[in-house]
Amino acid sequence: MRVFVLCTGRSGSLSFVNACKHIRNFTTSHESLADVFGNERFNFPNNHIEVDNRLSWSLGHLNKYFGDDAIYIHLKRDRDKTANSFFQRFYLPGSIIDAFCDGVRMNPVEKLSKKMRLKACYDYVDTVNTNIEYFLLDKSKKMTINLETIEQDFPKFLEFINADIDLEKGIEELRKSHNSSFQRKLNLDYRVKLTIIREWRHLKMYFSKKS
């Protein structure tokens, strides 16, 4: 049995992963195949719990490969808190809210006012949650867990998947803060390097078409 935890991100997913790592009869990973292309993106082992907010953009493939055979968990957090948490994630390397604005909504972050950036965060949260909700409509093995009531919901989740766990250790993980929006790193060298590589490759493609 495979368990997929779907969410927007910024919803306690890392705390949830760390709690699930105390489950003895399931393996657990966080975004373990998020950087993989093709069919291998969905090569998850059996008896495994995968927590990955980016799977919300691959729901068609999830349905194709696993359909109603898997268990699906919708991990949610208060809409305002989620949007405001994403608001703190702009301009970070690999930021999904940047990618959403730049690529999906075709509004480069640098052109957006503070008000528009916050509006984009709400749009992202609503888009992802709606995608997940519609995906789950015809699924028979599903459950919603809310971050605000996670200490009550987590034991129900464990019973739902028939997990073997030290519950006290799992709950202890849920009480810890992980991956705070305010724990920013400059990563200046990395960011400059990526910018140079991107612009160099853009120039190469531009001039190759000219020749």
Side-chain angles (χ1 to χ4, degrees):
M1 179 62 68
R2 296 170 180 85
V3 180
F4 295 105
V5 180
L6 308 173
C7 61
T8 59
R10 314 311 307 159
S11 53
S13 57
L14 196 53
S15 295
F16 192 85
V17 167
N18 288 332
C20 287
K21 286 183 177 179
H22 292 283
I23 297 175
R24 291 179 279 264
N25 57 331
F26 282 86
T27 56
T28 304
S29 294
H30 180 243
E31 301 177 357
S32 63
L33 297 176
D35 59 347
V36 178
F37 296 105
N39 296 337
E40 292 80 8
R41 171 72 171 98
F42 305 93
N43 190 25
F44 299 105
N46 199 15
N47 297 321
H48 177 75
I49 301 168
E50 184 67 22
V51 185
D52 185 349
N53 68 303
R54 285 163 170 78
L55 284 174
S56 62
W57 300 98
S58 299
L59 297 176
H61 280 93
L62 272 187
N63 197 63
K64 174 183 176 181
Y65 290 114
F66 305 104
D68 202 33
D69 293 331
I71 292 175
Y72 300 98
I73 308 300
H74 190 180
L75 179 61
K76 301 182 72 175
R77 183 188 185 189
D78 176 83
R79 179 174 180 262
D80 293 331
K81 290 180 179 178
T82 308
N84 279 283
S85 183
F86 269 113
F87 187 78
Q88 306 298 327
R89 306 293 291 182
F90 282 110
Y91 312 115
L92 289 174
S95 168
I96 198 166
I97 190 63
D98 281 28
F100 179 74
C101 292
D102 290 358
V104 178
R105 290 290 182 255
M106 298 178 67
N107 272 300
V109 173
E110 292 78 9
K111 294 176 61 177
L112 299 178
S113 65
K114 181 177 180 179
K115 181 179 179 181
M116 288 302 296
R117 292 200 305 275
L118 183 58
K119 185 174 182 179
C121 292
Y122 277 104
D123 187 23
Y124 170 82
V125 171
D126 293 341
T127 297
V128 173
N129 277 327
T130 301
N131 285 345
I132 295 171
E133 288 163 4
Y134 273 82
F135 170 75
L136 294 178
L137 282 177
D138 65 345
K139 302 300 183 290
S140 62
K141 297 182 285 293
K142 59 188 174 183
M143 178 181 180
T144 298
I145 294 177
N146 293 289
L147 182 60
E148 289 72 24
T149 56
I150 198 165
E151 290 193 30
Q152 293 75 46
D153 292 345
F154 189 65
K156 297 175 185 177
F157 160 74
L158 298 174
E159 182 179 359
F160 187 45
I161 68 170
N162 195 25
D164 177 18
I165 186 177
D166 184 330
L167 181 58
E168 185 176 335
K169 289 184 178 179
I171 295 295
E172 184 179 340
E173 292 289 352
L174 294 175
R175 292 170 178 164
K176 297 177 182 178
S177 176
H178 297 92
N179 196 26
S180 168
S181 292
F182 298 99
Q183 295 173 346
R184 298 178 71 101
K185 295 181 180 179
L186 285 178
N187 293 314
L188 188 58
D189 291 344
Y190 175 77
R191 293 166 67 89
V192 170
K193 181 180 178 180
L194 285 187
T195 300
I196 292 173
I197 292 172
R198 179 182 294 271
E199 292 306 315
W200 171 245
R201 290 180 178 175
H202 170 69
L203 288 171
K204 284 178 68 176
M205 291 184 69
Y206 175 82
F207 285 112
S208 66
K209 289 182 180 180
K210 289 286 186 178
S211 59

